[in-house]
Amino acid sequence: MARSRAIGDGTFDGILVVDKPVGPTSHDQVDLVRRLTGVRRVGHGGTLDPFAGGVLPIFIGRATRLVEYHMRDDKDYRATIAFGASSTTDDLDGELAAGEGPIPTQAEVEAALSAFRGSFSQVPPDHSAVRVQGRHAYELARAGDRPTLVARQVTVDRLEVLDWDGTHADRPTATLEISCSAGTYIRAIARDLGSSLGCGAYLVALTRTRSGPFRRSQAHAPDAIRAAFATDRGRDLLLPSDAGLDAFPVTSLEPLDLEAILRGQVVRAPAEAGGGAIDDGRQPAHWRVRDREGRLAAIARLESGRLHPEKVLLDPAPRS
């Protein structure tokens, strides 16, 4: 497969928003981007299970250093939940067991959703990547050892029924639209919703429509990505490395201070970034530092009128 002629010059950095199809793993998509770009430093911003699809931001090159600033981004999902059975994996890939309670109506499901709005404690699924004593929970579950998982606080800002399908009376489905905090397990919402109704429920389809600032309208299907790279248009799909970090204001530094930042040194912040001002807590904690050409040079933390480099994205000039 052809590779972009521009790749390999050390500047292939940015974010590629993939519209992950159902089937492949998130790591499969990372491997695809590695093969197409020839760049080894590639990572994604939030795993999607193989049966799920949708928005998967992939960070390339030096942009991988900024993934941590997106790990707490909230998410939007479209989820389809089936009622009348529970699953060992809380989704359609597990073994099903028929529920004991009556099949709920749409009205009963909508009433039960109120318990899953706002902030509440949620126990992750047994088949999850949460680590228990150094092992993934799903490894223990597959070995027949039920992991002991600690509940975590999650927040659901929106949870609405978009569609109700009662075609199969013994297994109706509801399609939900969900906006939630990072770390929320949609499979666990399905599991707990079924438990609260007494009938059992499990997740049968899941699409992530937004991951923080990245929306599905910005995402590219793998075939479109392959086609772009085959015709030297791969760069056209990239977002800047700092896309989505609008909460971090931009500042520029004098050449000597910029060089100091690039060497990991603390410098006095310029006036617009609070340099010399009393720290009253109103200044943003992080700033994007750009060079004279407008390139992102660093992410710096502001403390007491000084900029402390957290992530350096350009190389300093060679010492003479």
Side-chain angles (χ1 to χ4, degrees):
M1 181 175 293
R3 182 185 294 173
S4 171
R5 289 190 296 271
I7 298 171
D9 63 3
T11 61
F12 199 86
D13 305 313
I15 303 169
L16 178 60
V17 185
V18 176
D19 191 355
K20 188 188 97 62
V22 173
T25 66
S26 296
H27 191 71
D28 289 337
Q29 305 306 293
V30 169
D31 282 344
L32 171 66
V33 173
R34 283 198 181 114
R35 291 195 303 270
L36 293 174
T37 63
V39 177
R40 297 307 303 166
R41 287 193 298 174
V42 179
H44 62 73
T47 302
L48 279 172
D49 290 331
F51 82 92
V55 176
L56 181 69
I58 293 185
F59 296 76
I60 304 169
R62 297 187 185 189
T64 57
R65 306 204 63 205
L66 307 182
V67 173
E68 69 177 72
Y69 299 118
H70 293 280
M71 296 312 291
R72 295 184 179 180
D73 286 347
D74 54 1
K75 312 286 195 299
D76 288 352
Y77 294 95
R78 184 162 294 185
T80 301
I81 296 174
F83 299 90
S86 59
S87 165
T88 54
T89 59
D90 302 321
D91 59 37
L92 76 171
D93 289 334
E95 296 180 12
L96 300 181
E100 297 180 357
I103 300 299
T105 64
Q106 179 179 353
E108 289 170 334
V109 168
E110 291 184 339
L113 291 180
S114 61
F116 300 92
R117 297 188 183 103
S119 295
F120 56 91
S121 293
Q122 182 187 74
V123 177
D126 290 348
H127 288 259
S128 66
V130 175
R131 288 193 173 273
V132 179
Q133 297 180 340
R135 298 181 65 187
H136 292 297
Y138 65 76
E139 294 174 327
L140 296 171
R142 289 172 182 171
D145 298 326
R146 184 168 186 178
T148 301
L149 296 168
V150 178
R152 57 180 66 181
Q153 197 76 3
V154 300
T155 300
V156 174
D157 293 316
R158 185 183 180 197
L159 182 59
E160 306 292 342
V161 176
L162 294 181
D163 183 64
W164 176 265
D165 186 351
T167 304
H168 301 285
D170 62 338
R171 198 64 55 83
T173 62
T175 299
L176 309 179
E177 192 163 83
I178 303 169
S179 296
C180 59
S181 60
T184 303
Y185 281 94
I186 309 303
R187 284 182 289 145
I189 290 179
R191 175 200 66 202
D192 296 341
L193 180 60
S195 177
S196 70
L197 290 164
C199 62
Y202 60 97
L203 190 63
V204 297
L206 182 67
T207 300
R208 186 156 65 196
T209 57
R210 182 180 65 87
S211 179
F214 308 111
R215 300 180 179 277
R216 205 173 187 191
S217 59
Q218 300 170 289
H220 308 278
D223 284 347
I225 295 170
R226 293 186 186 95
F229 278 93
T231 55
D232 292 334
R233 294 181 295 106
R235 284 184 184 275
D236 296 343
L237 306 184
L238 288 187
L239 298 176
S241 296
D242 59 341
L245 297 183
D246 297 341
F248 297 1
V250 175
T251 189
S252 59
L253 300 175
E254 294 298 322
L256 289 178
D257 283 344
L258 179 62
E259 277 299 306
I261 280 280
L262 297 183
R263 295 185 188 281
Q265 299 170 9
V266 177
V267 302
R268 183 171 179 173
E272 75 270 13
I278 297 174
D279 187 358
D280 59 6
R282 291 182 294 180
Q283 287 283 3
H286 290 91
W287 288 73
R288 289 176 285 170
V289 178
R290 295 196 183 278
D291 66 7
R292 288 183 173 181
E293 286 73 43
R295 297 178 300 173
L296 182 66
I299 303 292
R301 184 181 71 260
L302 179 66
E303 286 185 8
S304 302
R306 295 185 177 274
L307 291 175
H308 299 248
E310 279 194 352
K311 306 293 180 181
V312 175
L313 300 164
L314 294 180
D315 296 323
R319 295 186 185 273
S320 57

